[in-house]
Amino acid sequence: MNKVILMPVDILAMDLSDKAIAYADHMVDKENGVIHLLHVFPKLGTSPMRGFASDIRKYEEYMTNDAQEKMLNLARKFKTPLENIRFEVRHGNIRDEVNNAVEAHNAEMIIIGSRKPGIVTHLLGSAAANILRYAKIPVMVIR
């Protein structure tokens, strides 16, 4: 069993994460395991809109709070106790931020939901494919 599992979530497609909950519950150490839910927003550049920098910060703060609320609602669906589930919102490139979070939390496994293959996504969603390609620890992709 894994003591630390990182589970990237997309707050705009929570149905993908719903599928992965059972797997994370099953794979985490029942005694003292922790599941880290992570949502990554793209970094909004402020240089072209210098006059709007404070508005961008307010928007990022609002979106961060909204993401944390949605992750809390998702966390209530786990069998793992709520005190063993952590939430984190980052801004940047999803692949890089997932790898940074793996190192920061000493995660042993990544569990991520993905769409079923289609004409647009081919085999995996682009985020899941990037995470899978560049991860340094085992990744479980759930469809």
Side-chain angles (χ1 to χ4, degrees):
M1 290 296 152
N2 299 285
K3 289 191 179 189
V4 181
I5 292 176
L6 181 68
M7 192 170 145
V9 299
D10 182 351
I11 63 163
L12 302 176
M14 293 299 269
D15 59 315
L16 299 177
S17 299
D18 287 344
K19 298 173 189 176
I21 289 172
Y23 291 92
D25 272 333
H26 179 72
M27 298 300 291
V28 73
D29 184 333
K30 304 296 184 235
E31 297 294 317
N32 53 6
V34 175
I35 298 172
H36 283 274
L37 301 178
L38 171 69
H39 178 75
V40 180
F41 285 111
K43 187 73 172 163
L44 297 174
T46 57
S47 67
M49 300 186 293
R50 209 167 317 197
F52 299 102
S54 66
D55 291 337
I56 290 172
R57 280 192 290 278
K58 287 179 189 175
Y59 175 75
E60 284 180 345
E61 184 179 321
Y62 170 78
M63 293 304 292
T64 297
N65 291 336
D66 183 54
Q68 288 176 333
E69 269 185 53
K70 289 179 179 177
M71 286 190 288
L72 176 61
N73 290 335
L74 180 69
R76 291 185 175 124
K77 296 178 182 182
F78 282 84
K79 291 180 183 174
T80 300
L82 200 55
E83 59 268 9
N84 292 6
I85 300 175
R86 310 285 186 268
F87 316 106
E88 185 174 7
V89 176
R90 292 180 179 222
H91 297 268
N93 176 288
I94 188 164
R95 175 197 67 214
D96 296 338
E97 293 304 323
V98 166
N99 282 326
N100 291 340
V102 163
E103 289 181 22
H105 303 301
N106 295 319
E108 299 168 322
M109 174 180 248
I110 298 169
I111 297 178
I112 186 168
S114 180
R115 299 191 193 305
K116 292 192 187 277
I119 198 101
V120 177
T121 57
H122 300 291
L123 297 175
L124 294 174
S126 60
N130 265 334
I131 290 168
L132 185 62
R133 189 174 300 120
Y134 293 98
K136 298 173 184 159
I137 61 172
V139 178
M140 180 181 285
V141 180
I142 309 300
R143 291 193 180 148

